[in-house]
Amino acid sequence: MISSNFSAYKTIRTIDLRKNNITEFNHLATLPFLINLDLRFNQITSLNSLNRKPAEGEETAYWPRLQFCLLSSNKIEKITPIGCPNLIRLDISNNQISSIAEGDDGWKGHDNIQVLDISANLLTNLGPLSGLKKLKTLYAGSNRIYKFSGLEGCEELEVLNLRGNSVPNLANPDRAVRIAATAPKTPLPEPQSEQPVEVGGDREVEGVHDPGGANPLLQPVHRRLQGYLHLPDTQQVLGDQDSQQDQ
């Protein structure tokens, strides 16, 4: 358990608590400026800490600015509702997840998620993710998925990785999605040296909206997307082929 003393650090923006024995992290929810949270390689069993709700009459905002949350390599068994209104990237890969809790419109708590990594779990379908309206990149490799369906509502999806599942065919998908089913999933790199938890100061974290890759929590995403998004222009390729034929 994380001590409630953390709530005193009102200006903290990045926390790295990898490789501890943490089981829950409720006390971090009230940090008003926390943006980057890394809790990989711990003993967390659920996403309940991401779904704190104010008590009656309470005006506290929970996870008001959290954008990047890394929870891979824990012991999470189910994807349950979360309450992080500004979350952009969630990594819950390499857990023991076998199901996704559904509401009336699918999985709750995901209005702004753009990158979701659920690879290396025990999932059999993606149906509850259909409500991810802003999802651009989904890593779902190394699960037990047996059919390609359930993503019809993901209207902005650009990259889908289903490598290492049991999908028999991709007949008649509802929309054109570039499927990286044969591309290897780049593992999240380990740092060269462990960095202490940043618990004070008013320094801006570099790269929160970081198209260039300055933020260390975002660098794995930039490296993964380079292989998918920087593709040659189709017209240019066709033009080069025509030129070769003319010669």
Side-chain angles (χ1 to χ4, degrees):
M1 178 181 294
I2 296 177
S3 170
S4 60
N5 293 337
F6 265 93
S7 61
Y9 299 105
K10 299 298 184 183
T11 59
I12 192 169
R13 298 168 189 261
T14 295
I15 293 179
D16 184 342
L17 288 170
R18 283 171 293 174
K19 298 182 179 179
N20 284 283
N21 291 307
I22 296 167
T23 58
E24 58 88 14
F25 47 103
N26 286 328
H27 293 305
L28 303 179
T30 57
L31 294 174
F33 296 105
L34 181 63
I35 295 172
N36 303 306
L37 178 59
D38 190 342
L39 289 168
R40 290 174 284 168
F41 300 100
N42 277 284
Q43 303 296 317
I44 298 166
T45 58
S46 77
L47 297 177
N48 291 342
S49 294
L50 292 177
N51 196 33
R52 290 194 64 180
K53 296 180 179 179
E56 185 176 353
E58 186 181 14
E59 297 182 357
T60 303
Y62 293 116
W63 307 110
R65 289 183 172 84
L66 185 66
Q67 294 184 22
F68 308 102
C69 185
L70 308 184
L71 293 169
S72 66
S73 301
N74 278 278
K75 296 182 178 180
I76 301 169
E77 297 181 354
K78 186 176 184 178
I79 300 179
T80 52
I82 61 175
C84 303
N86 295 303
L87 193 63
I88 294 175
R89 179 193 174 196
L90 177 63
D91 183 351
I92 45 178
S93 61
N94 292 289
N95 277 278
Q96 302 166 18
I97 299 169
S98 59
S99 63
I100 304 174
E102 291 189 71
D104 295 337
D105 301 314
W107 179 48
K108 297 292 186 180
H110 47 67
D111 290 346
N112 292 304
I113 288 181
Q114 297 180 23
V115 180
L116 176 63
D117 192 339
I118 54 174
S119 55
N121 280 289
L122 305 171
L123 292 166
T124 58
N125 73 87
L126 301 173
L129 301 181
S130 60
L132 295 169
K133 303 300 184 182
K134 296 184 179 180
L135 185 67
K136 296 181 181 295
T137 301
L138 175 61
Y139 297 106
S142 300
N143 276 279
R144 298 177 179 178
I145 298 166
Y146 59 88
K147 63 179 179 178
F148 178 72
S149 65
L151 297 177
E152 293 82 4
C154 302
E155 298 178 353
E156 298 187 16
L157 188 63
E158 297 176 353
V159 176
L160 173 62
N161 189 325
L162 287 175
R163 183 175 188 265
N165 281 281
S166 301
V167 180
N169 61 67
L170 297 173
N172 300 320
D174 288 339
R175 56 188 306 275
V177 177
R178 207 163 42 240
I179 298 174
T182 59
K185 173 179 174 291
T186 305
L188 293 170
E190 289 301 312
Q192 295 182 354
S193 60
E194 295 291 335
Q195 299 294 325
V197 175
E198 178 182 315
V199 294
D202 197 25
R203 180 177 64 83
E204 289 286 336
V205 175
E206 295 181 358
V208 171
H209 303 288
D210 172 56
N215 188 338
L217 289 180
L218 289 178
Q219 286 174 2
V221 175
H222 287 293
R223 281 195 285 270
R224 288 184 192 175
L225 296 186
Q226 284 173 359
Y228 300 122
L229 301 183
H230 299 293
L231 300 174
D233 182 74
T234 303
Q235 296 298 326
Q236 180 180 348
V237 171
L238 293 176
D240 292 343
Q241 292 175 348
D242 291 341
S243 297
Q244 293 176 1
Q245 291 177 357
D246 293 340
Q247 293 176 0

